[in-house]
Amino acid sequence: MKIVKMSEVSKEPLVRPLFTGRDVTRQVLVPDSKEFNVNIVNFGKGVRNKFHAHDGEQILIVTAGKGIVATEKEERVVTKGDVVLIPAGEKHWHGATEDSEFSHIFVTRAGIAPTTQLED
Amino acid sequence: MKIVKMSEVSKEPLVRPLFTGRDVTRQVLVPDSKEFNVNIVNFGKGVRNKFHAHDGEQILIVTAGKGIVATEKEERVVTKGDVVLIPAGEKHWHGATEDSEFSHIFVTRAGIAPTTQLED
């Protein structure tokens, strides 16, 4: 087995066209996993990702701050302790509110196709 | 998408021979998931599960209290914010210390075979 403390896992900058800003970092929690991606994403105030979809399900576990998770039908504010299930193929975005930073763990299956960005 | 607050998810008693005591509950966080089991397990003081193994990987995310995660080679104390990767097939146990309750989220793939108990 392998144990890490979330607070000690290094934060890698995550500068990608998927995000509306550059203040985003990623912490890879289980780099040795063969079955899962389990990463923290830390969003700066007001930064979110753009509409996208995944080939498999995505689970979000909110760990800090205040964020928004949105589909084409709804926008929901989420805070620490909220857990979100996003079905495979559902068009959605998530990120920080204007007044708060925001962090969540995400879980996806290892080996699914890269995220499909659906907004420029 | 579907959102739940961990604190509002009902706690089901989990009375099974796998555990060393009866003070164990489970909270099913994403009952609609087709790909993942994501559950909280809450252990009373001094209660743990017995040596067991899974056909797939298991991820533990500690959410409260103080616990122990053990293999045949080591016993490690874990607290909130610790993340554990247990490889497929690794013989292990986890549960609360004598002086603390303990809660963790676990993640496994949906559809893997039931846990194989390896200790009476």
Side-chain angles (χ1 to χ4, degrees), chain B residues 12-38:
Chain B
E12 311 163 1
L14 201 61
V15 176
R16 294 192 179 169
L18 179 65
F19 297 102
T20 62
R22 296 173 59 89
D23 186 7
V24 183
T25 62
R26 177 176 65 177
Q27 295 170 271
V28 179
L29 299 181
V30 289
D32 298 328
S33 175
K34 294 177 175 66
E35 298 183 18
F36 304 106
N37 302 304
V38 183

mmCIF file with all atom_site columns, all heavy atoms in Angstrom, chain B residues 12-38:
data_model
loop_
_atom_site.group_PDB
_atom_site.id
_atom_site.type_symbol
_atom_site.label_atom_id
_atom_site.label_alt_id
_atom_site.label_comp_id
_atom_site.label_asym_id
_atom_site.label_entity_id
_atom_site.label_seq_id
_atom_site.pdbx_PDB_ins_code
_atom_site.Cartn_x
_atom_site.Cartn_y
_atom_site.Cartn_z
_atom_site.occupancy
_atom_site.B_iso_or_equiv
_atom_site.pdbx_formal_charge
_atom_site.auth_seq_id
_atom_site.auth_comp_id
_atom_site.auth_asym_id
_atom_site.auth_atom_id
_atom_site.pdbx_PDB_model_num
ATOM 1   N N   . GLU B 1 12 ? -26.148 3.587   7.228   1.00 0.00 ? 12 GLU B N   1
ATOM 2   C CA  . GLU B 1 12 ? -26.736 2.247   7.338   1.00 0.00 ? 12 GLU B CA  1
ATOM 3   C C   . GLU B 1 12 ? -25.840 1.387   8.222   1.00 0.00 ? 12 GLU B C   1
ATOM 4   O O   . GLU B 1 12 ? -24.629 1.347   8.003   1.00 0.00 ? 12 GLU B O   1
ATOM 5   C CB  . GLU B 1 12 ? -26.786 1.572   5.965   1.00 0.00 ? 12 GLU B CB  1
ATOM 6   C CG  . GLU B 1 12 ? -27.369 2.402   4.859   1.00 0.00 ? 12 GLU B CG  1
ATOM 7   C CD  . GLU B 1 12 ? -27.016 1.840   3.475   1.00 0.00 ? 12 GLU B CD  1
ATOM 8   O OE1 . GLU B 1 12 ? -26.330 0.800   3.387   1.00 0.00 ? 12 GLU B OE1 1
ATOM 9   O OE2 . GLU B 1 12 ? -27.435 2.465   2.492   1.00 0.00 ? 12 GLU B OE2 1
ATOM 10  N N   . PRO B 1 13 ? -26.425 0.675   9.176   1.00 0.00 ? 13 PRO B N   1
ATOM 11  C CA  . PRO B 1 13 ? -25.606 -0.241  9.976   1.00 0.00 ? 13 PRO B CA  1
ATOM 12  C C   . PRO B 1 13 ? -24.927 -1.264  9.067   1.00 0.00 ? 13 PRO B C   1
ATOM 13  O O   . PRO B 1 13 ? -25.512 -1.701  8.075   1.00 0.00 ? 13 PRO B O   1
ATOM 14  C CB  . PRO B 1 13 ? -26.627 -0.940  10.878  1.00 0.00 ? 13 PRO B CB  1
ATOM 15  C CG  . PRO B 1 13 ? -27.830 -0.062  10.858  1.00 0.00 ? 13 PRO B CG  1
ATOM 16  C CD  . PRO B 1 13 ? -27.846 0.608   9.526   1.00 0.00 ? 13 PRO B CD  1
ATOM 17  N N   . LEU B 1 14 ? -23.698 -1.599  9.396   1.00 0.00 ? 14 LEU B N   1
ATOM 18  C CA  . LEU B 1 14 ? -22.945 -2.549  8.569   1.00 0.00 ? 14 LEU B CA  1
ATOM 19  C C   . LEU B 1 14 ? -22.447 -3.656  9.503   1.00 0.00 ? 14 LEU B C   1
ATOM 20  O O   . LEU B 1 14 ? -21.315 -3.635  9.966   1.00 0.00 ? 14 LEU B O   1
ATOM 21  C CB  . LEU B 1 14 ? -21.784 -1.799  7.911   1.00 0.00 ? 14 LEU B CB  1
ATOM 22  C CG  . LEU B 1 14 ? -21.164 -2.404  6.649   1.00 0.00 ? 14 LEU B CG  1
ATOM 23  C CD1 . LEU B 1 14 ? -22.176 -2.511  5.526   1.00 0.00 ? 14 LEU B CD1 1
ATOM 24  C CD2 . LEU B 1 14 ? -19.984 -1.557  6.182   1.00 0.00 ? 14 LEU B CD2 1
ATOM 25  N N   . VAL B 1 15 ? -23.358 -4.585  9.788   1.00 0.00 ? 15 VAL B N   1
ATOM 26  C CA  . VAL B 1 15 ? -23.016 -5.670  10.722  1.00 0.00 ? 15 VAL B CA  1
ATOM 27  C C   . VAL B 1 15 ? -22.616 -6.889  9.902   1.00 0.00 ? 15 VAL B C   1
ATOM 28  O O   . VAL B 1 15 ? -23.456 -7.496  9.233   1.00 0.00 ? 15 VAL B O   1
ATOM 29  C CB  . VAL B 1 15 ? -24.209 -5.985  11.650  1.00 0.00 ? 15 VAL B CB  1
ATOM 30  C CG1 . VAL B 1 15 ? -23.887 -7.175  12.544  1.00 0.00 ? 15 VAL B CG1 1
ATOM 31  C CG2 . VAL B 1 15 ? -24.561 -4.760  12.490  1.00 0.00 ? 15 VAL B CG2 1
ATOM 32  N N   . ARG B 1 16 ? -21.328 -7.177  9.902   1.00 0.00 ? 16 ARG B N   1
ATOM 33  C CA  . ARG B 1 16 ? -20.830 -8.276  9.067   1.00 0.00 ? 16 ARG B CA  1
ATOM 34  C C   . ARG B 1 16 ? -19.689 -8.977  9.783   1.00 0.00 ? 16 ARG B C   1
ATOM 35  O O   . ARG B 1 16 ? -18.954 -8.351  10.549  1.00 0.00 ? 16 ARG B O   1
ATOM 36  C CB  . ARG B 1 16 ? -20.299 -7.719  7.736   1.00 0.00 ? 16 ARG B CB  1
ATOM 37  C CG  . ARG B 1 16 ? -21.412 -7.133  6.900   1.00 0.00 ? 16 ARG B CG  1
ATOM 38  C CD  . ARG B 1 16 ? -20.961 -6.842  5.502   1.00 0.00 ? 16 ARG B CD  1
ATOM 39  N NE  . ARG B 1 16 ? -22.086 -6.295  4.752   1.00 0.00 ? 16 ARG B NE  1
ATOM 40  C CZ  . ARG B 1 16 ? -22.002 -5.733  3.558   1.00 0.00 ? 16 ARG B CZ  1
ATOM 41  N NH1 . ARG B 1 16 ? -20.822 -5.640  2.958   1.00 0.00 ? 16 ARG B NH1 1
ATOM 42  N NH2 . ARG B 1 16 ? -23.063 -5.273  2.939   1.00 0.00 ? 16 ARG B NH2 1
ATOM 43  N N   . PRO B 1 17 ? -19.499 -10.237 9.464   1.00 0.00 ? 17 PRO B N   1
ATOM 44  C CA  . PRO B 1 17 ? -18.382 -10.983 10.077  1.00 0.00 ? 17 PRO B CA  1
ATOM 45  C C   . PRO B 1 17 ? -17.018 -10.366 9.746   1.00 0.00 ? 17 PRO B C   1
ATOM 46  O O   . PRO B 1 17 ? -16.043 -10.612 10.439  1.00 0.00 ? 17 PRO B O   1
ATOM 47  C CB  . PRO B 1 17 ? -18.498 -12.384 9.453   1.00 0.00 ? 17 PRO B CB  1
ATOM 48  C CG  . PRO B 1 17 ? -19.904 -12.482 8.969   1.00 0.00 ? 17 PRO B CG  1
ATOM 49  C CD  . PRO B 1 17 ? -20.325 -11.096 8.602   1.00 0.00 ? 17 PRO B CD  1
ATOM 50  N N   . LEU B 1 18 ? -16.962 -9.563  8.695   1.00 0.00 ? 18 LEU B N   1
ATOM 51  C CA  . LEU B 1 18 ? -15.691 -8.926  8.318   1.00 0.00 ? 18 LEU B CA  1
ATOM 52  C C   . LEU B 1 18 ? -15.173 -7.998  9.406   1.00 0.00 ? 18 LEU B C   1
ATOM 53  O O   . LEU B 1 18 ? -13.959 -7.764  9.501   1.00 0.00 ? 18 LEU B O   1
ATOM 54  C CB  . LEU B 1 18 ? -15.882 -8.135  7.019   1.00 0.00 ? 18 LEU B CB  1
ATOM 55  C CG  . LEU B 1 18 ? -14.661 -7.382  6.491   1.00 0.00 ? 18 LEU B CG  1
ATOM 56  C CD1 . LEU B 1 18 ? -13.557 -8.354  6.087   1.00 0.00 ? 18 LEU B CD1 1
ATOM 57  C CD2 . LEU B 1 18 ? -15.034 -6.499  5.295   1.00 0.00 ? 18 LEU B CD2 1
ATOM 58  N N   . PHE B 1 19 ? -16.081 -7.468  10.253  1.00 0.00 ? 19 PHE B N   1
ATOM 59  C CA  . PHE B 1 19 ? -15.669 -6.473  11.243  1.00 0.00 ? 19 PHE B CA  1
ATOM 60  C C   . PHE B 1 19 ? -15.477 -7.091  12.626  1.00 0.00 ? 19 PHE B C   1
ATOM 61  O O   . PHE B 1 19 ? -16.160 -8.051  12.987  1.00 0.00 ? 19 PHE B O   1
ATOM 62  C CB  . PHE B 1 19 ? -16.703 -5.342  11.307  1.00 0.00 ? 19 PHE B CB  1
ATOM 63  C CG  . PHE B 1 19 ? -16.817 -4.581  10.025  1.00 0.00 ? 19 PHE B CG  1
ATOM 64  C CD1 . PHE B 1 19 ? -17.875 -4.811  9.151   1.00 0.00 ? 19 PHE B CD1 1
ATOM 65  C CD2 . PHE B 1 19 ? -15.846 -3.650  9.662   1.00 0.00 ? 19 PHE B CD2 1
ATOM 66  C CE1 . PHE B 1 19 ? -17.968 -4.131  7.947   1.00 0.00 ? 19 PHE B CE1 1
ATOM 67  C CE2 . PHE B 1 19 ? -15.935 -2.969  8.451   1.00 0.00 ? 19 PHE B CE2 1
ATOM 68  C CZ  . PHE B 1 19 ? -16.991 -3.210  7.591   1.00 0.00 ? 19 PHE B CZ  1
ATOM 69  N N   . THR B 1 20 ? -14.594 -6.475  13.405  1.00 0.00 ? 20 THR B N   1
ATOM 70  C CA  . THR B 1 20 ? -14.313 -6.995  14.754  1.00 0.00 ? 20 THR B CA  1
ATOM 71  C C   . THR B 1 20 ? -15.365 -6.550  15.762  1.00 0.00 ? 20 THR B C   1
ATOM 72  O O   . THR B 1 20 ? -15.322 -6.997  16.910  1.00 0.00 ? 20 THR B O   1
ATOM 73  C CB  . THR B 1 20 ? -12.929 -6.526  15.238  1.00 0.00 ? 20 THR B CB  1
ATOM 74  O OG1 . THR B 1 20 ? -12.929 -5.092  15.320  1.00 0.00 ? 20 THR B OG1 1
ATOM 75  C CG2 . THR B 1 20 ? -11.820 -6.995  14.307  1.00 0.00 ? 20 THR B CG2 1
ATOM 76  N N   . GLY B 1 21 ? -16.265 -5.660  15.369  1.00 0.00 ? 21 GLY B N   1
ATOM 77  C CA  . GLY B 1 21 ? -17.326 -5.209  16.266  1.00 0.00 ? 21 GLY B CA  1
ATOM 78  C C   . GLY B 1 21 ? -18.542 -4.778  15.469  1.00 0.00 ? 21 GLY B C   1
ATOM 79  O O   . GLY B 1 21 ? -18.511 -4.795  14.233  1.00 0.00 ? 21 GLY B O   1
ATOM 80  N N   . ARG B 1 22 ? -19.587 -4.385  16.196  1.00 0.00 ? 22 ARG B N   1
ATOM 81  C CA  . ARG B 1 22 ? -20.844 -4.061  15.516  1.00 0.00 ? 22 ARG B CA  1
ATOM 82  C C   . ARG B 1 22 ? -21.018 -2.566  15.256  1.00 0.00 ? 22 ARG B C   1
ATOM 83  O O   . ARG B 1 22 ? -21.975 -2.158  14.608  1.00 0.00 ? 22 ARG B O   1
ATOM 84  C CB  . ARG B 1 22 ? -22.013 -4.565  16.363  1.00 0.00 ? 22 ARG B CB  1
ATOM 85  C CG  . ARG B 1 22 ? -22.025 -6.076  16.510  1.00 0.00 ? 22 ARG B CG  1
ATOM 86  C CD  . ARG B 1 22 ? -23.094 -6.520  17.502  1.00 0.00 ? 22 ARG B CD  1
ATOM 87  N NE  . ARG B 1 22 ? -24.426 -6.107  17.126  1.00 0.00 ? 22 ARG B NE  1
ATOM 88  C CZ  . ARG B 1 22 ? -25.251 -6.819  16.344  1.00 0.00 ? 22 ARG B CZ  1
ATOM 89  N NH1 . ARG B 1 22 ? -24.864 -7.986  15.875  1.00 0.00 ? 22 ARG B NH1 1
ATOM 90  N NH2 . ARG B 1 22 ? -26.452 -6.367  16.061  1.00 0.00 ? 22 ARG B NH2 1
ATOM 91  N N   . ASP B 1 23 ? -20.121 -1.731  15.779  1.00 0.00 ? 23 ASP B N   1
ATOM 92  C CA  . ASP B 1 23 ? -20.305 -0.289  15.647  1.00 0.00 ? 23 ASP B CA  1
ATOM 93  C C   . ASP B 1 23 ? -19.660 0.210   14.352  1.00 0.00 ? 23 ASP B C   1
ATOM 94  O O   . ASP B 1 23 ? -18.608 0.852   14.345  1.00 0.00 ? 23 ASP B O   1
ATOM 95  C CB  . ASP B 1 23 ? -19.689 0.405   16.875  1.00 0.00 ? 23 ASP B CB  1
ATOM 96  C CG  . ASP B 1 23 ? -19.963 1.906   16.871  1.00 0.00 ? 23 ASP B CG  1
ATOM 97  O OD1 . ASP B 1 23 ? -20.721 2.371   16.004  1.00 0.00 ? 23 ASP B OD1 1
ATOM 98  O OD2 . ASP B 1 23 ? -19.395 2.597   17.739  1.00 0.00 ? 23 ASP B OD2 1
ATOM 99  N N   . VAL B 1 24 ? -20.317 -0.146  13.253  1.00 0.00 ? 24 VAL B N   1
ATOM 100 C CA  . VAL B 1 24 ? -19.836 0.257   11.927  1.00 0.00 ? 24 VAL B CA  1
ATOM 101 C C   . VAL B 1 24 ? -21.042 0.681   11.102  1.00 0.00 ? 24 VAL B C   1
ATOM 102 O O   . VAL B 1 24 ? -22.070 -0.007  11.114  1.00 0.00 ? 24 VAL B O   1
ATOM 103 C CB  . VAL B 1 24 ? -19.122 -0.913  11.192  1.00 0.00 ? 24 VAL B CB  1
ATOM 104 C CG1 . VAL B 1 24 ? -18.556 -0.441  9.850   1.00 0.00 ? 24 VAL B CG1 1
ATOM 105 C CG2 . VAL B 1 24 ? -18.014 -1.508  12.040  1.00 0.00 ? 24 VAL B CG2 1
ATOM 106 N N   . THR B 1 25 ? -20.931 1.810   10.409  1.00 0.00 ? 25 THR B N   1
ATOM 107 C CA  . THR B 1 25 ? -21.993 2.221   9.485   1.00 0.00 ? 25 THR B CA  1
ATOM 108 C C   . THR B 1 25 ? -21.382 2.569   8.128   1.00 0.00 ? 25 THR B C   1
ATOM 109 O O   . THR B 1 25 ? -20.187 2.848   8.016   1.00 0.00 ? 25 THR B O   1
ATOM 110 C CB  . THR B 1 25 ? -22.790 3.438   10.002  1.00 0.00 ? 25 THR B CB  1
ATOM 111 O OG1 . THR B 1 25 ? -21.914 4.565   10.120  1.00 0.00 ? 25 THR B OG1 1
ATOM 112 C CG2 . THR B 1 25 ? -23.449 3.141   11.330  1.00 0.00 ? 25 THR B CG2 1
ATOM 113 N N   . ARG B 1 26 ? -22.269 2.579   7.137   1.00 0.00 ? 26 ARG B N   1
ATOM 114 C CA  . ARG B 1 26 ? -21.867 2.887   5.761   1.00 0.00 ? 26 ARG B CA  1
ATOM 115 C C   . ARG B 1 26 ? -22.752 3.995   5.207   1.00 0.00 ? 26 ARG B C   1
ATOM 116 O O   . ARG B 1 26 ? -23.959 4.010   5.456   1.00 0.00 ? 26 ARG B O   1
ATOM 117 C CB  . ARG B 1 26 ? -22.041 1.639   4.912   1.00 0.00 ? 26 ARG B CB  1
ATOM 118 C CG  . ARG B 1 26 ? -21.732 1.849   3.443   1.00 0.00 ? 26 ARG B CG  1
ATOM 119 C CD  . ARG B 1 26 ? -21.830 0.561   2.670   1.00 0.00 ? 26 ARG B CD  1
ATOM 120 N NE  . ARG B 1 26 ? -23.203 0.044   2.650   1.00 0.00 ? 26 ARG B NE  1
ATOM 121 C CZ  . ARG B 1 26 ? -23.587 -1.051  1.992   1.00 0.00 ? 26 ARG B CZ  1
ATOM 122 N NH1 . ARG B 1 26 ? -22.693 -1.764  1.336   1.00 0.00 ? 26 ARG B NH1 1
ATOM 123 N NH2 . ARG B 1 26 ? -24.830 -1.443  2.012   1.00 0.00 ? 26 ARG B NH2 1
ATOM 124 N N   . GLN B 1 27 ? -22.164 4.906   4.448   1.00 0.00 ? 27 GLN B N   1
ATOM 125 C CA  . GLN B 1 27 ? -22.925 5.922   3.723   1.00 0.00 ? 27 GLN B CA  1
ATOM 126 C C   . GLN B 1 27 ? -22.601 5.788   2.236   1.00 0.00 ? 27 GLN B C   1
ATOM 127 O O   . GLN B 1 27 ? -21.444 5.940   1.829   1.00 0.00 ? 27 GLN B O   1
ATOM 128 C CB  . GLN B 1 27 ? -22.522 7.322   4.207   1.00 0.00 ? 27 GLN B CB  1
ATOM 129 C CG  . GLN B 1 27 ? -22.892 7.592   5.661   1.00 0.00 ? 27 GLN B CG  1
ATOM 130 C CD  . GLN B 1 27 ? -22.248 8.878   6.157   1.00 0.00 ? 27 GLN B CD  1
ATOM 131 O OE1 . GLN B 1 27 ? -21.126 8.849   6.663   1.00 0.00 ? 27 GLN B OE1 1
ATOM 132 N NE2 . GLN B 1 27 ? -22.919 9.990   6.002   1.00 0.00 ? 27 GLN B NE2 1
ATOM 133 N N   . VAL B 1 28 ? -23.619 5.496   1.457   1.00 0.00 ? 28 VAL B N   1
ATOM 134 C CA  . VAL B 1 28 ? -23.431 5.286   0.019   1.00 0.00 ? 28 VAL B CA  1
ATOM 135 C C   . VAL B 1 28 ? -23.553 6.646   -0.677  1.00 0.00 ? 28 VAL B C   1
ATOM 136 O O   . VAL B 1 28 ? -24.628 7.236   -0.714  1.00 0.00 ? 28 VAL B O   1
ATOM 137 C CB  . VAL B 1 28 ? -24.475 4.293   -0.523  1.00 0.00 ? 28 VAL B CB  1
ATOM 138 C CG1 . VAL B 1 28 ? -24.301 4.097   -2.027  1.00 0.00 ? 28 VAL B CG1 1
ATOM 139 C CG2 . VAL B 1 28 ? -24.360 2.958   0.207   1.00 0.00 ? 28 VAL B CG2 1
ATOM 140 N N   . LEU B 1 29 ? -22.443 7.152   -1.195  1.00 0.00 ? 29 LEU B N   1
ATOM 141 C CA  . LEU B 1 29 ? -22.420 8.537   -1.688  1.00 0.00 ? 29 LEU B CA  1
ATOM 142 C C   . LEU B 1 29 ? -22.922 8.683   -3.120  1.00 0.00 ? 29 LEU B C   1
ATOM 143 O O   . LEU B 1 29 ? -23.491 9.710   -3.470  1.00 0.00 ? 29 LEU B O   1
ATOM 144 C CB  . LEU B 1 29 ? -20.997 9.101   -1.581  1.00 0.00 ? 29 LEU B CB  1
ATOM 145 C CG  . LEU B 1 29 ? -20.413 9.168   -0.156  1.00 0.00 ? 29 LEU B CG  1
ATOM 146 C CD1 . LEU B 1 29 ? -19.002 9.758   -0.196  1.00 0.00 ? 29 LEU B CD1 1
ATOM 147 C CD2 . LEU B 1 29 ? -21.305 9.983   0.773   1.00 0.00 ? 29 LEU B CD2 1
ATOM 148 N N   . VAL B 1 30 ? -22.681 7.706   -3.961  1.00 0.00 ? 30 VAL B N   1
ATOM 149 C CA  . VAL B 1 30 ? -23.100 7.817   -5.368  1.00 0.00 ? 30 VAL B CA  1
ATOM 150 C C   . VAL B 1 30 ? -23.852 6.545   -5.778  1.00 0.00 ? 30 VAL B C   1
ATOM 151 O O   . VAL B 1 30 ? -23.370 5.765   -6.608  1.00 0.00 ? 30 VAL B O   1
ATOM 152 C CB  . VAL B 1 30 ? -21.903 8.104   -6.316  1.00 0.00 ? 30 VAL B CB  1
ATOM 153 C CG1 . VAL B 1 30 ? -21.399 9.520   -6.128  1.00 0.00 ? 30 VAL B CG1 1
ATOM 154 C CG2 . VAL B 1 30 ? -20.752 7.122   -6.102  1.00 0.00 ? 30 VAL B CG2 1
ATOM 155 N N   . PRO B 1 31 ? -25.062 6.361   -5.220  1.00 0.00 ? 31 PRO B N   1
ATOM 156 C CA  . PRO B 1 31 ? -25.804 5.116   -5.491  1.00 0.00 ? 31 PRO B CA  1
ATOM 157 C C   . PRO B 1 31 ? -26.129 4.916   -6.970  1.00 0.00 ? 31 PRO B C   1
ATOM 158 O O   . PRO B 1 31 ? -26.353 3.794   -7.398  1.00 0.00 ? 31 PRO B O   1
ATOM 159 C CB  . PRO B 1 31 ? -27.082 5.278   -4.656  1.00 0.00 ? 31 PRO B CB  1
ATOM 160 C CG  . PRO B 1 31 ? -27.189 6.735   -4.353  1.00 0.00 ? 31 PRO B CG  1
ATOM 161 C CD  . PRO B 1 31 ? -25.784 7.264   -4.311  1.00 0.00 ? 31 PRO B CD  1
ATOM 162 N N   . ASP B 1 32 ? -26.133 6.010   -7.741  1.00 0.00 ? 32 ASP B N   1
ATOM 163 C CA  . ASP B 1 32 ? -26.473 5.889   -9.163  1.00 0.00 ? 32 ASP B CA  1
ATOM 164 C C   . ASP B 1 32 ? -25.264 5.619   -10.049 1.00 0.00 ? 32 ASP B C   1
ATOM 165 O O   . ASP B 1 32 ? -25.412 5.491   -11.274 1.00 0.00 ? 32 ASP B O   1
ATOM 166 C CB  . ASP B 1 32 ? -27.154 7.179   -9.648  1.00 0.00 ? 32 ASP B CB  1
ATOM 167 C CG  . ASP B 1 32 ? -28.458 7.441   -8.914  1.00 0.00 ? 32 ASP B CG  1
ATOM 168 O OD1 . ASP B 1 32 ? -29.130 6.457   -8.542  1.00 0.00 ? 32 ASP B OD1 1
ATOM 169 O OD2 . ASP B 1 32 ? -28.805 8.615   -8.712  1.00 0.00 ? 32 ASP B OD2 1
ATOM 170 N N   . SER B 1 33 ? -24.095 5.546   -9.462  1.00 0.00 ? 33 SER B N   1
ATOM 171 C CA  . SER B 1 33 ? -22.905 5.341   -10.297 1.00 0.00 ? 33 SER B CA  1
ATOM 172 C C   . SER B 1 33 ? -22.921 3.958   -10.934 1.00 0.00 ? 33 SER B C   1
ATOM 173 O O   . SER B 1 33 ? -23.265 2.965   -10.305 1.00 0.00 ? 33 SER B O   1
ATOM 174 C CB  . SER B 1 33 ? -21.637 5.487   -9.456  1.00 0.00 ? 33 SER B CB  1
ATOM 175 O OG  . SER B 1 33 ? -20.506 5.169   -10.248 1.00 0.00 ? 33 SER B OG  1
ATOM 176 N N   . LYS B 1 34 ? -22.525 3.924   -12.195 1.00 0.00 ? 34 LYS B N   1
ATOM 177 C CA  . LYS B 1 34 ? -22.382 2.654   -12.903 1.00 0.00 ? 34 LYS B CA  1
ATOM 178 C C   . LYS B 1 34 ? -20.939 2.157   -12.858 1.00 0.00 ? 34 LYS B C   1
ATOM 179 O O   . LYS B 1 34 ? -20.658 1.011   -13.169 1.00 0.00 ? 34 LYS B O   1
ATOM 180 C CB  . LYS B 1 34 ? -22.789 2.829   -14.371 1.00 0.00 ? 34 LYS B CB  1
ATOM 181 C CG  . LYS B 1 34 ? -24.267 3.138   -14.564 1.00 0.00 ? 34 LYS B CG  1
ATOM 182 C CD  . LYS B 1 34 ? -24.573 3.364   -16.038 1.00 0.00 ? 34 LYS B CD  1
ATOM 183 C CE  . LYS B 1 34 ? -26.052 3.551   -16.290 1.00 0.00 ? 34 LYS B CE  1
ATOM 184 N NZ  . LYS B 1 34 ? -26.578 4.790   -15.686 1.00 0.00 ? 34 LYS B NZ  1
ATOM 185 N N   . GLU B 1 35 ? -20.000 3.035   -12.502 1.00 0.00 ? 35 GLU B N   1
ATOM 186 C CA  . GLU B 1 35 ? -18.577 2.691   -12.604 1.00 0.00 ? 35 GLU B CA  1
ATOM 187 C C   . GLU B 1 35 ? -17.871 2.548   -11.266 1.00 0.00 ? 35 GLU B C   1
ATOM 188 O O   . GLU B 1 35 ? -16.819 1.900   -11.190 1.00 0.00 ? 35 GLU B O   1
ATOM 189 C CB  . GLU B 1 35 ? -17.840 3.765   -13.417 1.00 0.00 ? 35 GLU B CB  1
ATOM 190 C CG  . GLU B 1 35 ? -18.348 3.887   -14.834 1.00 0.00 ? 35 GLU B CG  1
ATOM 191 C CD  . GLU B 1 35 ? -17.546 4.900   -15.643 1.00 0.00 ? 35 GLU B CD  1
ATOM 192 O OE1 . GLU B 1 35 ? -16.420 5.248   -15.249 1.00 0.00 ? 35 GLU B OE1 1
ATOM 193 O OE2 . GLU B 1 35 ? -18.077 5.359   -16.669 1.00 0.00 ? 35 GLU B OE2 1
ATOM 194 N N   . PHE B 1 36 ? -18.413 3.207   -10.233 1.00 0.00 ? 36 PHE B N   1
ATOM 195 C CA  . PHE B 1 36 ? -17.679 3.282   -8.970  1.00 0.00 ? 36 PHE B CA  1
ATOM 196 C C   . PHE B 1 36 ? -18.552 2.941   -7.772  1.00 0.00 ? 36 PHE B C   1
ATOM 197 O O   . PHE B 1 36 ? -19.747 3.235   -7.757  1.00 0.00 ? 36 PHE B O   1
ATOM 198 C CB  . PHE B 1 36 ? -17.154 4.711   -8.746  1.00 0.00 ? 36 PHE B CB  1
ATOM 199 C CG  . PHE B 1 36 ? -16.304 5.254   -9.857  1.00 0.00 ? 36 PHE B CG  1
ATOM 200 C CD1 . PHE B 1 36 ? -16.801 6.217   -10.730 1.00 0.00 ? 36 PHE B CD1 1
ATOM 201 C CD2 . PHE B 1 36 ? -15.007 4.802   -10.036 1.00 0.00 ? 36 PHE B CD2 1
ATOM 202 C CE1 . PHE B 1 36 ? -16.022 6.716   -11.759 1.00 0.00 ? 36 PHE B CE1 1
ATOM 203 C CE2 . PHE B 1 36 ? -14.226 5.295   -11.064 1.00 0.00 ? 36 PHE B CE2 1
ATOM 204 C CZ  . PHE B 1 36 ? -14.734 6.258   -11.931 1.00 0.00 ? 36 PHE B CZ  1
ATOM 205 N N   . ASN B 1 37 ? -17.923 2.361   -6.751  1.00 0.00 ? 37 ASN B N   1
ATOM 206 C CA  . ASN B 1 37 ? -18.458 2.367   -5.394  1.00 0.00 ? 37 ASN B CA  1
ATOM 207 C C   . ASN B 1 37 ? -17.720 3.475   -4.650  1.00 0.00 ? 37 ASN B C   1
ATOM 208 O O   . ASN B 1 37 ? -16.475 3.447   -4.583  1.00 0.00 ? 37 ASN B O   1
ATOM 209 C CB  . ASN B 1 37 ? -18.170 1.042   -4.686  1.00 0.00 ? 37 ASN B CB  1
ATOM 210 C CG  . ASN B 1 37 ? -18.747 -0.134  -5.414  1.00 0.00 ? 37 ASN B CG  1
ATOM 211 O OD1 . ASN B 1 37 ? -19.937 -0.193  -5.680  1.00 0.00 ? 37 ASN B OD1 1
ATOM 212 N ND2 . ASN B 1 37 ? -17.893 -1.090  -5.770  1.00 0.00 ? 37 ASN B ND2 1
ATOM 213 N N   . VAL B 1 38 ? -18.459 4.440   -4.135  1.00 0.00 ? 38 VAL B N   1
ATOM 214 C CA  . VAL B 1 38 ? -17.846 5.511   -3.340  1.00 0.00 ? 38 VAL B CA  1
ATOM 215 C C   . VAL B 1 38 ? -18.663 5.620   -2.066  1.00 0.00 ? 38 VAL B C   1
ATOM 216 O O   . VAL B 1 38 ? -19.766 6.190   -2.059  1.00 0.00 ? 38 VAL B O   1
ATOM 217 C CB  . VAL B 1 38 ? -17.824 6.855   -4.091  1.00 0.00 ? 38 VAL B CB  1
ATOM 218 C CG1 . VAL B 1 38 ? -17.102 7.921   -3.252  1.00 0.00 ? 38 VAL B CG1 1
ATOM 219 C CG2 . VAL B 1 38 ? -17.148 6.718   -5.452  1.00 0.00 ? 38 VAL B CG2 1
#
